[in-house]
Amino acid sequence: MSTAITEKRPSTLRGASLPKWSPYAIAAGSVALGLGISAAAGLDSSIQWVLIAGLLFVLGTYAIAARVEGRRQAKDRVATALVWVAFLLAVVPLVSLVWSTVSRGVKVLDIYFLTHSMGLVADSEPGGGIYHAIIGSLEQVGLATLIAAPIGVLTAIYLVEYGRGKLAKAVTFFVDVMTGIPSIVAGLFILSIMLMFDMQPFGFAGSLALAILMMPVVVRSTEEMLKLVPNELREASLALGIPKWRTILKVVIPTSLGGITTGIMLAIARIAGETAPVLLLVWGNSLINSNPFEGAQQSLPLYIYQQYANSAGSGAAYDRAWAASLTLIAFVMILNLVARGIARWKAPKTGR
Amino acid sequence: MDTTQITDAPPPTPQPTVAEQKRAARGATRPGDRIFLGLSRGSGILLLVIMAAIAGFLTYRASIAISKDDANFFTTFEWNTQLIPPKFGIAVLVFGTIVSSIIAMAIAVPIAVAIALFLTHYAPRRLSGPIAYVIDLLAAVPSIVYGLWGALILVPHMNGLYGWLDDYLGWTGIFTWQGGAPRSMLTVGILLAIMILPIITNVSREVFRQAPQMIEEAALALGATRWEVIRMAVIPFGRSGVISASMLGLGRALGETMAVATVLSPTFDIQASLLDPGGGTFAQNIASKFGEASETGRDALIASGLVLFVITLLVNGAARMIIARRKEYSGANA
C-alpha cells in the first residue's frame, strides 16, 4: 500500500493524484489485512472478514487520498469506495442464494422427482417428488390468470381510453395501493369469506387470492403499454369512421400486444412464488389432487415451506425443498426471460 | 309473465334530457361502444369493490374476534385464543414488525441508494446494463426461496457475527446474546433487507437517471468532484423519489410472511435484545398460528391481519402520494 503514496505524478495543471491502479491496490491490501486479522483473532465467519476488509478499504482510501490529493478528492474517493463496497456487499448474499439453490437443488432433481408425488413417503425419508405440487401450482396460477388478466386489461383500457374524472382517479389510486397489499392479507380476505360459508380449503380459493394480487400488476403494466400507442393511430382509425371499441380491439390492442403479454407473464411469475395465501386457503396435500374445486391441493412454494417446516431437520426433506426451490426459480426465471424477450421482439419499431 | 306487464312496459318516450343531449353531441353511441365501455368501466369498479370488500370482510370477522376478546386487543402481551374466554393482543406483533422493518430499512436503504448511484454514475456503462437486469431478476425470486436460504444458509453464518456483537456491543443491552440459535430479529431484519434491496434499487435508479444532465455537467465544469456532483445535483433531485422507493420497500418488509416464518423462532413476548430468538411479526404470526387455530383463533388472526392491512395501506398510500406530487412538479414525465 505504501507504493501508492510514493508514486506521485507531477503535473502543472492538476494537483497530485493517485495512480489509476491505487484503488485496486488498496482493495487487495485491505482484503489481505482483513483475512490476516480474522486469522489472528480466530474469527471463523466469512461475514466478519468481509466486513473488516470493507471497513479497512474505506478508511485506507480516505487516509491515503487525504494525504496525497487533499480533502475534497479524498471525500470523492471515499464515496466511490463506499458505493463499490455497498455493491459488493449486496452481491455476496444474492450470489450465495443462487449458488446454494442450484448446487443443492440438483442433488435430487431428476425425472423421478418431477413425476412422483409424496404419497406414501414420510417427510423424513428420501424419495418422493413434486408432481402433485406442479399440478396444483399450474392449476391455481392458471385459474388466477384467467380471472385477473381480463379484468386487469379491461381496467387498464378503461383508464387509458375512457378514464376521466373522479372514478378513474379513484381506480388509479387504489390500483397503486392494491399493489402493496401483503399477500397474506389477500389470503385472509378469501378466508373470511370461506369461514362465512363454512367451506373447506380447495385450490380455487387460492386462485382467487392470487388473482387479487395479480390484478393491480396487470393493470399497471398494461396501462403503461397502452399509453405508448401513438395517438395518430387512434385518430386515423376513428377518422375512417370506425367505432371506438373496434379501434381499441383492432388497432390499439394489437399494437401493444407484445407489451401486454410481457406484463401478464411477469405478473404470473410474481404470483407463482406466493406461499402465504396458498398456505391459508389450499392447505397442502401430499397426494395428487387435480381437481382445483374440491379438496386440499399442493403448490410448489407451499411444498418448499412444508418440506422445510415438517422435516424436523431431516436432510432428505431439505434436499427436496432445495430441488423444489430450483424448479420454482427456473420456472419464474424462464417466464421472466421469455417475457422480456417478447418485449424486445415486439417493441414498437421507431421509424421505418 | 302475463300480457298486462308487457303492455305496461314501454313508457311514454321522454324528452331528451340535458345529459342525453350532451351525449348525442359527443358522437353517436353504438351498442358495441356501450357494451365495451360498460365492460371496462365495470372491471375498474370491480377493483374498487374488491378493495372495499377486503376492508369490509376483514373488519366484520375482526369485530367478531374482538368482541370475544377478554383482554385489550392493542395492549395485551399474550395470544391465547384457546382460553375461555380467549385473551389475545397485538402488542408483541406491533413491536416485532416495527423492529424488524426498522433493521431492514436501516441496512437496505443506504446500500440500495449506493447501488442505484453505482449503476447510474459509477459503473462502467457496459456493466451497468446487465447488472440492472440481474437486479430485476432478483426482485422476482420468490420469498419462500429467500426464506429457505435464510434459514439454512444465513442463520449458521450469523453465529460469528453474533458473538462479535455480543463481545463488543453487548453493553448496550440490545446486542446481548445468550448463545441461542441466531433465529432472531436481527437475522430477520438482515434477510428482509436483502429481499427489499432490489425494489428500492430499481425505483431509486429510475429517479437518479432522470436527474437533469445539464446541471450535472455544469457542476463538473466548475471543477466539482463526482461526489460533489452527486451531493449537489443528483441527491436533491432524487430525494423524494428515494423516500417513496423506501416506503415501497417498507410496505413489502411489513407484510413479508414466509421469510420471517422460516427464519424466526417465535415467542410471544418482547425482549430488549435483538440477538436472542423471540418476538414475532403480524404476517409470521398468522402463518405459524393458522394451522392449529380454532374458529375464534382464525378470527383473531384475521383481526391482526386487518391491522397489518391498515398499516401497509397507509405506508403505500403515503409513498404513492409522494410520487404523484413529484410528477406534478417535475414535469419530467409529461
Side-chain angles (χ1 to χ4, degrees):
Chain A
M1 279 202 293
S2 56
T3 52
I5 306 171
T6 50
E7 189 175 301
K8 286 181 194 168
R9 205 181 302 155
S11 161
T12 48
L13 268 180
R14 307 179 60 186
S17 66
L18 290 169
K20 270 201 162 168
W21 46 264
S22 60
Y24 307 108
I26 298 174
S30 42
V31 167
L33 249 170
L35 278 173
I37 291 177
S38 315
L43 306 174
D44 49 357
S45 165
S46 54
I47 295 176
Q48 284 162 315
W49 75 256
V50 169
L51 285 179
I52 295 178
L55 202 65
L56 282 174
F57 178 54
V58 173
L59 292 179
T61 308
Y62 185 77
I64 293 169
R67 274 187 62 189
V68 180
E69 297 180 325
R71 288 184 50 121
R72 278 182 62 216
Q73 298 297 329
K75 270 189 190 164
D76 181 46
R77 283 196 183 270
V78 166
T80 312
L82 275 177
V83 162
W84 272 94
V85 166
F87 171 67
L88 293 175
L89 269 186
V91 164
V92 171
L94 297 176
V95 167
S96 157
L97 174 86
V98 173
W99 168 248
S100 47
T101 310
V102 172
S103 65
R104 297 180 186 217
V106 293
K107 259 193 239 167
V108 292
L109 185 59
D110 51 21
I111 298 294
Y112 181 88
F113 186 71
L114 293 175
T115 54
H116 286 75
S117 75
M118 291 296 291
L120 301 178
V121 182
D123 279 331
S124 56
E125 292 170 5
I130 55 171
Y131 182 64
H132 57 313
I134 294 178
I135 288 189
S137 262
L138 287 180
E139 285 179 351
Q140 288 151 28
V141 171
L143 286 170
T145 310
L146 280 184
I147 299 168
I151 295 178
V153 171
L154 277 172
T155 306
I157 289 175
Y158 171 69
L159 289 178
V160 176
E161 306 289 333
Y162 296 102
R164 309 275 178 278
K166 275 187 190 154
L167 179 64
K169 267 198 179 151
V171 173
T172 310
F173 181 75
F174 277 105
V175 164
D176 275 340
V177 172
M178 216 171 156
T179 11
I181 293 184
S183 57
I184 193 133
V185 170
L188 285 177
F189 164 56
I190 303 293
L191 178 73
S192 61
I193 296 176
M194 282 169 67
L195 283 179
M196 213 160 284
F197 295 102
D198 211 14
M199 285 188 277
Q200 294 305 307
F202 60 108
F204 186 64
S207 306
L208 288 176
L210 294 178
I212 291 175
L213 297 172
M214 187 174 172
M215 274 176 217
V217 186
V218 176
V219 174
R220 248 311 77 85
S221 59
T222 309
E223 215 185 331
E224 294 305 316
M225 289 305 131
L226 293 179
K227 278 183 190 159
L228 290 181
V229 176
N231 252 338
E232 285 82 351
L233 286 182
R234 295 189 183 94
E235 284 159 8
S237 164
L238 290 173
L240 290 171
I242 295 166
K244 187 162 185 175
W245 68 278
R246 279 187 75 89
T247 306
I248 294 171
L249 277 185
K250 298 280 176 182
V251 176
V252 177
I253 293 208
T255 315
S256 52
L257 193 60
I260 295 177
T261 320
T262 304
I264 292 177
M265 289 177 76
L266 292 179
I268 294 175
R270 190 194 143 181
I271 62 162
E274 286 295 353
T275 321
V278 184
L279 174 70
L280 300 187
L281 303 171
V282 187
W283 207 250
N285 189 345
S286 61
L287 303 172
I288 299 170
N289 173 13
S290 50
N291 181 0
F293 296 97
E294 203 186 335
Q297 268 191 316
Q298 189 58 285
S299 94
L300 264 181
L302 184 57
Y303 177 88
I304 300 171
Y305 177 62
Q306 292 185 337
Q307 286 301 316
Y308 167 76
N310 305 340
S311 63
S314 124
Y318 287 163
D319 282 346
R320 280 195 296 267
W322 284 113
S325 298
L326 182 58
T327 319
L328 183 60
I329 285 194
F331 176 68
V332 169
M333 289 300 148
I334 289 171
L335 265 181
N336 260 281
L337 291 175
V338 172
R340 276 155 217 274
I342 291 178
R344 188 164 296 181
W345 173 47
K346 282 278 187 181
K349 318 263 184 306
T350 44
R352 276 179 182 247
Chain B
M1 295 298 138
D2 54 29
T3 46
T4 53
Q5 267 184 326
I6 295 173
T7 49
D8 282 347
T13 45
Q15 288 295 310
T17 61
V18 180
E20 275 169 344
Q21 279 171 345
K22 264 191 191 165
R23 203 179 300 147
R26 224 187 284 156
T29 49
R30 301 173 176 88
D33 267 339
R34 238 174 292 150
I35 294 171
F36 201 74
L37 174 60
L39 272 179
S40 57
R41 186 189 280 156
S43 29
I45 294 172
L46 182 65
L47 280 182
L48 296 183
V49 170
I50 291 175
M51 282 299 286
I54 294 177
F57 274 94
L58 291 185
T59 314
Y60 171 64
R61 298 306 301 196
S63 67
I64 296 179
I66 293 177
S67 67
K68 286 183 194 160
D69 192 358
D70 198 43
N72 187 319
F73 182 64
F74 291 100
T75 55
T76 306
F77 288 77
E78 55 180 324
W79 194 272
N80 289 318
T81 51
Q82 311 287 358
L83 287 181
I84 299 171
K87 281 187 180 180
F88 51 90
I90 53 170
V92 173
L93 305 178
V94 172
F95 180 79
T97 307
I98 291 177
V99 166
S100 60
S101 303
I102 287 178
I103 299 174
M105 298 295 285
I107 299 171
V109 171
I111 294 186
V113 169
I115 297 177
L117 286 174
F118 174 80
L119 291 175
T120 51
H121 289 83
Y122 283 94
R125 186 148 300 175
R126 243 183 309 147
L127 216 68
S128 75
I131 293 175
Y133 191 75
V134 169
I135 290 179
D136 267 357
L137 288 185
L138 283 170
V141 171
S143 61
I144 181 67
V145 180
Y146 278 107
L148 188 69
W149 175 81
L152 296 182
I153 309 278
L154 182 64
V155 164
H157 276 85
M158 294 303 287
N159 275 316
L161 186 68
Y162 271 36
W164 214 26
L165 285 173
D166 183 37
D167 285 350
Y168 296 103
L169 293 171
W171 51 270
T172 55
I174 54 174
F175 289 119
T176 50
W177 186 40
Q178 288 160 5
R183 297 175 167 276
S184 70
M185 279 297 164
L186 183 66
T187 313
V188 168
I190 292 174
L191 184 62
L192 288 177
I194 296 172
M195 294 179 65
I196 60 177
L197 203 62
I199 182 174
I200 304 182
T201 306
N202 275 345
V203 180
S204 313
R205 189 191 44 161
E206 286 308 311
V207 178
F208 289 148
R209 193 182 277 162
Q210 287 170 8
Q213 193 117 32
M214 299 274 261
I215 300 180
E216 285 177 43
E217 283 164 6
L220 279 173
L222 288 172
T225 61
R226 195 151 48 167
W227 166 240
E228 284 161 348
V229 170
I230 287 174
R231 213 191 50 194
M232 294 186 296
V234 179
I235 291 189
F237 175 84
R239 189 173 293 140
S240 65
V242 170
I243 292 174
S244 59
S246 316
M247 292 179 82
L248 290 182
L250 176 62
R252 199 168 272 196
L254 289 172
E256 179 47 48
T257 313
M258 300 326 287
V260 185
T262 47
V263 167
L264 191 69
S265 69
T267 56
F268 219 81
D269 56 4
I270 289 180
Q271 39 189 316
S273 168
L274 300 176
L275 307 190
D276 287 328
T281 72
F282 279 109
Q284 168 271 327
N285 186 53
I286 296 169
S288 356
K289 292 253 164 61
F290 178 76
E292 60 253 28
S294 61
E295 174 142 354
T296 313
R298 290 183 184 184
D299 282 342
L301 292 175
I302 290 175
S304 73
L306 177 66
V307 179
L308 175 64
F309 177 62
V310 171
I311 294 175
T312 50
L313 217 61
L314 292 177
V315 169
N316 280 301
R320 297 296 173 179
M321 299 272 222
I322 295 173
I323 294 179
R325 208 168 46 189
R326 191 176 148 276
K327 255 184 201 158
E328 276 166 32
Y329 287 133
S330 80
N333 309 310

